[in-house]
Amino acid sequence: MKIFGIQLNKRTFIRWKIYIDRARMYIGYISFVMIAFMFLNDFKDETIRSFLDENKLITYPVMMVMFLLFSLILGRLDTKLGLRKEEMRNSATENPVTMEILSDLKEIKNKLES
């Protein structure tokens, strides 16, 4: 089926999903920055609020660097503990295509050994 000159089929929707997934990562970065600014603007205490307002050119960049460092530490910890690797392994065992490929590889290996 064609709409507006675009062929709509299963591959088109899969390609669009991949584009959306990739964009979601970048939107996450934007969201990260927005949360940091909301955090800084949410202080109600008069002393802290006045300090932040008077020193925006210092406090905002410092807080962003702190958020980035904290994120790097969390990412490093995740890498060290192998949480993402284990998550991907579990996800792969749930994926029928991956399991079919693994099964085919085992078959090929068995044929080569015999």
Side-chain angles (χ1 to χ4, degrees), residues 37-84:
F37 281 110
M38 287 175 53
F39 172 76
L40 290 172
N41 288 323
D42 200 39
F43 283 105
K44 302 287 187 227
D45 184 80
E46 204 55 40
T47 313
I48 296 173
R49 181 80 261 145
S50 65
F51 176 78
L52 290 174
D53 289 340
E54 292 169 7
N55 301 300
K56 281 185 180 179
L57 293 176
I58 296 171
T59 56
Y60 280 65
V62 166
M63 289 301 286
M64 289 305 297
V65 168
M66 287 176 56
F67 274 120
L68 288 172
L69 287 174
F70 182 69
S71 296
L72 288 171
I73 290 168
L74 281 178
R76 177 70 176 147
L77 182 64
D78 178 71
T79 302
K80 247 343 196 183
L81 296 175
L83 299 175
R84 176 91 171 136

Side-chain angles (χ1 to χ4, degrees), residues 62-113:
V62 166
M63 289 301 286
M64 289 305 297
V65 168
M66 287 176 56
F67 274 120
L68 288 172
L69 287 174
F70 182 69
S71 296
L72 288 171
I73 290 168
L74 281 178
R76 177 70 176 147
L77 182 64
D78 178 71
T79 302
K80 247 343 196 183
L81 296 175
L83 299 175
R84 176 91 171 136
K85 189 185 301 182
E86 188 60 33
E87 178 186 346
M88 294 305 288
R89 184 185 340 267
N90 289 341
S91 177
T93 59
E94 298 291 325
N95 186 340
V97 175
T98 306
M99 295 310 294
E100 184 180 337
I101 291 170
L102 183 61
S103 174
D104 290 346
L105 285 173
K106 286 180 181 177
E107 266 183 45
I108 293 169
K109 184 179 175 184
N110 289 338
K111 285 181 183 177
L112 289 174
E113 288 177 351

